[in-house]
Amino acid sequence: MPGTPPTRFVYLGPEGTFAEQALRTVPAAEHGSRTPARSVGEALDCVRAGEADAALVPLENSIGGAVGVTLDELAEGDPLVITREVILPVEFVLGARPGITLESVRDVAAHPQASTQCRNWLREHLPDATVVDVLSNGAAAAGAAAGEYDAAICAPIGAARHRLAVLADKIADHPDAVTRFALVSRPGPPPPPTGDDVTSLAVYIAHDRVGALLSVLMELAVRGVNLSRIESRPTGEALGRYVFFLDGTGHVADVRMGEALQGLRRVCADVRFLGSYPRHRWVDGAGERPVPAPAGLSDADYADAAAWLARLRRGELT
């Protein structure tokens, strides 16, 4: 039923990963059911099939960039929409069974992305240890807890879940690294505008037309829609055919965003609406501030211009 808060959540598993940690920041998820999925595709298909109300999947990382599999899954198959974004600091810890000291660590389990983001710390503090690749941060923590490895690079939630002692915290080489997650649901009315929103789109350009991408960007620029992200992904149709993923400031209910979407519909081969949702709110007030509408492009300006045009059409010139 439209408007009913979700109660059944699925997330990219396994348990004890940053995805679970991010999902638990969503109030409804903390009180609902949370089920790990084996892949992004499986998580989103659970939502499409009605087996879950919403799925939390990774969109991009400030170090590694966009998560291509998520973008591909959102661009294909039955439509889904983003209803919320969650931005989580990536704070890796080194966990081990109680009694193991840093000096005694001979091997460390880590997901390849985790070990890459902690390369300098490992080189400085564990230069002789062997790093063993595993499938996830959760699997690393589980392996260390089971005695398969001396230690694990994992998320704080993973160390706590498997009762590992934290030998070192905040070991990532980039202390300000974050991962952006999307909470995805079946299509329905978007959350109401807040004045600080993001609209996500998958745009297919006409490849046989000169300046097709420029025309897309102009439809947004002339209406003061600021692009916070643009990514391209191959469509799989042929070499050189791409779909462009755009994040723009504003909400589908805003007049300027609505006019921009109409413009894109006219000039693009296809446009898939991926949702309008509130920008992530930082608890400590950090992060980007809302981008105000340029002069002449607020909803009030659009309403005034529309009223003026209506008077002209009625023959009222004063």
Side-chain angles (χ1 to χ4, degrees):
M1 174 173 138
T4 302
T7 59
R8 301 171 301 158
F9 296 85
V10 63
Y11 63 93
L12 178 61
E15 296 180 340
T17 60
F18 286 111
E20 183 187 7
Q21 190 171 329
L23 181 59
R24 298 195 70 155
T25 68
V26 178
E30 186 65 17
H31 302 292
S33 64
R34 301 179 300 275
T35 305
R38 290 171 295 183
S39 67
V40 170
E42 181 180 288
L44 297 182
D45 283 343
C46 284
V47 177
R48 290 185 173 109
E51 298 168 5
D53 301 319
L56 190 92
V57 291
L59 268 183
E60 60 178 322
N61 178 268
S62 60
I63 304 299
V67 180
V69 63
T70 300
L71 298 181
D72 293 343
E73 289 285 346
L74 289 176
E76 301 168 2
D78 293 339
L80 295 170
V81 291
I82 301 171
T83 59
R84 182 184 182 126
E85 69 173 6
V86 177
I87 297 179
L88 187 76
V90 179
E91 297 181 349
F92 289 108
V93 302
L94 185 75
R97 296 183 308 285
I100 291 180
T101 64
L102 187 63
E103 292 74 23
S104 65
V105 171
R106 294 160 300 174
D107 52 28
V108 179
H111 185 277
Q113 288 185 355
S115 58
T116 297
Q117 293 188 43
C118 301
R119 182 188 298 115
N120 292 337
W121 188 92
L122 288 168
R123 184 183 298 121
E124 180 179 351
H125 295 90
L126 293 172
D128 299 322
T130 301
V131 177
V132 182
D133 290 347
V134 294
L135 293 176
S136 70
N137 298 315
E148 299 172 18
Y149 315 102
D150 292 336
I153 296 176
C154 58
I157 191 175
R161 174 70 52 80
H162 294 282
R163 296 190 172 95
L164 298 177
V166 175
L167 301 183
D169 63 357
K170 298 183 179 179
I171 64 174
D173 298 334
H174 300 275
D176 297 325
V178 297
T179 296
R180 180 183 176 219
F181 295 86
L183 189 67
V184 181
S185 302
R186 291 181 295 281
T194 66
D196 187 15
D197 303 288
V198 178
T199 292
S200 294
L201 307 167
V203 172
Y204 297 80
I205 66 172
H207 293 276
D208 57 350
R209 206 175 81 209
V210 174
L213 179 57
L214 177 60
S215 66
V216 168
L217 301 179
M218 286 300 296
E219 291 292 339
L220 301 168
V222 298
R223 294 173 177 89
V225 175
N226 182 56
L227 275 184
S228 56
R229 183 175 69 95
I230 179 169
E231 300 276 351
S232 64
R233 294 286 299 168
T235 63
E237 298 171 353
L239 190 65
R241 297 295 178 94
Y242 295 92
V243 53
F244 293 86
F245 292 88
L246 311 178
D247 283 346
T249 57
H251 192 281
V252 66
D254 298 340
V255 178
R256 61 177 171 146
M257 179 60 77
E259 286 205 359
L261 291 176
Q262 291 181 68
L264 293 178
R265 175 73 175 179
R266 291 193 301 269
V267 304
C268 294
D270 193 17
V271 179
R272 176 171 280 203
F273 176 72
L274 299 180
S276 287
Y277 48 92
R279 186 188 299 274
H280 177 84
R281 303 293 197 272
W282 294 91
V283 174
D284 62 0
E288 296 180 2
R289 298 295 90 203
V291 177
L297 292 174
S298 69
D299 276 9
D301 293 324
Y302 273 103
D304 178 70
W308 173 77
L309 179 60
R311 291 196 299 272
L312 294 183
R313 288 171 171 170
R314 293 194 302 267
E316 301 171 7
L317 303 183
T318 59

